[in-house]
Amino acid sequence: MKQDPNKPVDTIVALSTPYGCSGIGVIRMSGPEAIPILLKIFRSMTETEFPNRTAIYGTVFNPREGNVLDDGLALVMRGPHSYTGEDVVELSLHGSPAVLEMVTHVIVEHGARHAARGEFTRRAFLFGRMNLVQAEAVIDLIDAKTASAAIEARSRMDKRLSAEILEISDALKDVMAKIEAYIDFDEEEESSAPQTEHTIREVFRKIETVQGRARAGRIRREGIVTVITGKPNVGKSTLFNLLLNKERTIVTPYPGTTRDPVDDCLVLGGTAFVLWDTAGIRQHPDPVEEEGILRTKDIIGEADLVIVVFDGSKPPDGDDTMILEACKKNQTLAVVNKMDLVKGMGHSFSTELTGGPNLVAVSAKTHEGIEALKSALSDFGKKIVGQISPTTQGAALNARCLELMGAVSMPIKRLLTRFTEEGTILPEIISYELRTALGSLEEITGERADDGVLDRIFERFCVGK
Ligand SMILES: Nc1nc2c(ncn2[C@@H]2O[C@H](COP(=O)(O)OP(=O)(O)OP(=O)(O)O)[C@@H](O)[C@H]2O)c(=O)[nH]1
Ligand SMILES: [Mg+2]
């Protein structure tokens, strides 16, 4: 775990609850001066000292002027067994922005400084209280918009995922130590190279297991990626706005209105969807449209579900067939729109054309069929979440870690291919590839992460966490 030689030595303070009027507001301090400052500004009628992890009632006052600022509870958590690993003090006071500002000001006057975003958690990381996987889980938990996202983030804060990564790292280090010892001493002793293939294959299997849980984790964390596609002008943006119940994207009578893909969060029947409105796809686009179509196809490639929209007032054509072909690897839901313009089912939008029974007829103009569409979407959502098997229920890597895990697996995969094709590999090559893999693994946990990476991660936090 990362132990920064330049560990912070100053004391930080921040309001840990949202700014605004509330029942209670919590001010948090961390650092060597946290307890000395508390002793100067807080007085209890009953206690003369602060037992560890025990809430003490008392008054906060301004020592310079002697006036009482508020009364409330003080909680002392001495390091190293605290959130940050340093001495931490929390003051629970009345949630008045004026009071909390005055008390914070007095604390700063006595030697603390205002904390930056995520600085408490950054300290927890620097003092080895958590690794980077856990620190990122903290911010994801705070940001979670749905219960499943919160549960998923919370599971990453537990040690299990980190333990799995540690297991992979230990196994790699073990093989590397053997190989490097052999390289170093081989000149003196005539021994055969250590057998490493079996362990490397085992490590690769573990990496695949962790990677395999990523899609399930992303769905729980962010929602089901659902892309609305179809020809230009079929009413994709109108449906998108209708489902979201807001005017999120531009609708005009002119084909080719939507160019860049736009996304928003939709919750239906307790399931979260990341809903995308995209540029219409057609066979002979102009150059600007072409760029939008490429982006649409990229998103379709990543989608968990695709809603293919047809214009029910016109007969299906080659563009419709081409779009269905582009989505044939995806789970799809067909929506025949503009039903207000036709009588009956309109043209031949049969299940044969749409390749399955998932077909809903709607009018985005009159809202006819929209409830049926929502209910079909909600059913799809439940089905997709239900497909997340119990083996993929464990904590999953987030996007940053998943990308790095790809970089861990690549050199290992190269080694396995060579083992299969060549039988034996030079120990120097094994050592080089394993070192490369280990480097990426250490970036996941933060053992090897530069300040730029840390800044980017902790900037996502709020002040006070
Ligand atoms: N009559 C009728 N018109 C509709 C319906 N849905 C959308 N429209 C109209 O169709 C036109 C195109 O709608 P959009 O939602 O912009 O279509 P789009 O598929 O997003 O189009 P592009 O972004 O150009 O690909 C607009 O004039 C809408 O008002 C519908 O159910 N019935
Ligand atoms: Mg549009």
Side-chain angles (χ1 to χ4, degrees):
M1 207 154 289
K2 179 146 181 157
Q3 290 292 334
D4 193 329
N6 304 313
K7 273 181 198 163
V9 287
D10 55 358
T11 299
I12 50 173
V13 61
L15 179 64
S16 280
T17 42
Y19 188 83
C21 300
S22 57
I24 291 169
V26 176
I27 292 172
R28 177 143 72 158
M29 285 189 269
S30 177
E33 288 302 307
I35 298 174
I37 293 174
L38 180 73
L39 291 171
K40 285 179 200 150
I41 66 160
F42 190 87
R43 202 176 288 142
S44 162
M45 300 293 277
T46 52
E47 303 282 336
T48 49
E49 53 192 58
F50 292 92
N52 207 20
R53 297 161 184 264
T54 308
I56 302 293
Y57 174 75
T59 50
V60 183
F61 62 100
N62 184 344
R64 279 206 190 128
E65 289 156 24
N67 58 319
V68 171
L69 300 174
D70 196 11
D71 58 336
L73 296 174
L75 180 61
V76 168
M77 287 155 283
R78 289 183 173 82
H81 304 293
S82 67
Y83 182 72
T84 58
E86 305 177 297
D87 286 346
V88 171
V89 169
E90 282 180 12
L91 284 170
S92 300
L93 306 172
H94 292 101
S96 143
V99 166
L100 297 167
E101 214 162 274
M102 279 191 296
V103 175
T104 307
H105 183 72
V106 168
I107 291 172
V108 170
E109 276 185 340
H110 283 79
R113 70 165 169 80
H114 291 285
R117 280 172 178 273
E119 202 170 356
F120 290 90
T121 308
R122 191 171 184 148
R123 287 191 172 196
F125 165 70
L126 292 173
F127 281 93
R129 296 291 290 161
M130 60 175 77
N131 63 30
L132 219 43
V133 172
Q134 293 167 307
E136 286 182 307
V138 172
I139 182 62
D140 288 340
L141 176 65
I142 293 171
D143 274 354
K145 303 282 182 296
T146 60
S148 65
I151 290 166
E152 192 282 324
R154 185 64 192 78
S155 70
R156 268 183 290 139
M157 282 167 66
D158 290 336
K159 295 256 183 298
R160 203 186 130 203
L161 178 62
S162 303
E164 279 176 307
I165 295 169
L166 204 68
E167 240 178 73
I168 295 171
S169 158
D170 284 348
L172 285 179
K173 282 180 184 159
D174 203 41
V175 179
M176 236 165 64
K178 281 186 191 143
I179 282 284
E180 287 178 0
Y182 172 78
I183 295 170
D184 288 346
F185 296 111
D186 187 37
E187 283 168 15
E188 290 145 39
E189 287 175 37
E190 279 282 315
S191 58
S192 54
Q195 294 301 308
T196 54
E197 184 178 346
H198 177 74
T199 318
I200 294 174
R201 282 198 191 280
E202 283 287 296
V203 169
F204 189 65
R205 256 193 294 277
K206 278 184 191 147
I207 292 172
E208 281 190 317
T209 308
V210 175
Q211 285 176 317
R213 288 201 302 262
R215 176 173 180 256
R218 176 184 52 71
I219 288 177
R220 279 199 294 271
R221 192 164 51 244
E222 292 159 19
I224 296 166
V225 174
T226 305
V227 178
I228 304 180
T229 186
K231 285 186 301 193
N233 209 245
V234 292
K236 299 179 295 299
S237 301
T238 313
L239 277 169
F240 178 75
N241 290 340
L242 199 57
L243 287 169
L244 294 170
N245 207 14
K246 60 183 169 188
E247 297 305 309
R248 178 75 172 80
T249 50
I250 299 169
V251 169
T252 76
Y254 308 105
T257 302
T258 307
R259 295 285 161 111
D260 287 328
V262 179
D263 74 310
D264 213 318
C265 178
L266 169 72
V267 179
L268 281 179
T271 309
F273 295 81
V274 182
L275 193 64
W276 284 91
D277 182 23
T278 58
I281 300 182
R282 62 186 179 110
Q283 287 178 95
H284 305 290
D286 64 44
V288 182
E289 263 185 302
E290 200 162 3
E291 185 53 41
I293 292 174
L294 284 177
R295 290 182 192 193
T296 303
K297 287 185 174 168
D298 279 350
I299 301 176
I300 290 175
E302 301 286 312
D304 302 305
L305 174 63
V306 179
I307 301 174
V308 190
V309 185
F310 302 93
D311 182 342
S313 68
K314 294 180 183 143
D317 58 21
D319 285 343
D320 291 310
T321 321
M322 189 260 291
I323 291 162
L324 285 166
E325 180 65 23
C327 311
K328 71 168 189 263
K329 287 193 185 141
N330 296 88
Q331 295 212 55
T332 53
L333 173 63
V335 175
V336 182
N337 189 31
K338 306 201 183 184
M339 289 307 286
D340 54 293
L341 298 177
V342 279
K343 296 269 177 284
M345 192 56 200
H347 301 281
S348 52
F349 290 100
S350 63
T351 53
E352 200 181 315
L353 171 74
T354 55
N358 307 308
L359 191 139
V360 188
V362 304
S363 164
K365 187 177 179 186
T366 64
H367 299 193
E368 172 199 341
I370 295 300
E371 283 313 310
L373 171 60
K374 284 185 180 169
S375 136
L377 262 176
S378 164
D379 289 349
F380 252 108
K382 289 198 180 88
K383 198 171 116 199
I384 290 172
V385 171
Q387 282 164 354
I388 299 175
S389 72
T391 52
T392 58
Q393 290 287 347
L397 298 172
N398 66 6
R400 182 191 74 90
C401 297
L402 187 65
E403 198 181 321
L404 285 166
M405 198 49 103
V408 176
S409 105
M410 216 124 59
I412 296 187
K413 216 184 210 165
R414 278 199 295 269
L415 283 177
L416 294 182
T417 311
R418 289 182 83 145
F419 272 126
T420 308
E421 287 172 1
E422 298 163 26
T424 53
I425 312 175
L426 276 177
E428 285 79 1
I429 293 177
I430 300 181
S431 160
Y432 173 79
E433 296 286 35
L434 294 186
R435 204 163 272 287
T436 310
L438 204 58
S440 303
L441 206 59
E442 287 175 347
E443 280 184 57
I444 294 179
T445 56
E447 280 168 279
R448 193 184 297 191
D450 61 35
D451 282 348
V453 171
L454 298 185
D455 288 346
R456 270 199 301 285
I457 290 173
F458 289 103
E459 261 163 24
R460 288 179 55 214
F461 279 67
C462 42
V463 175
K465 188 64 204 172

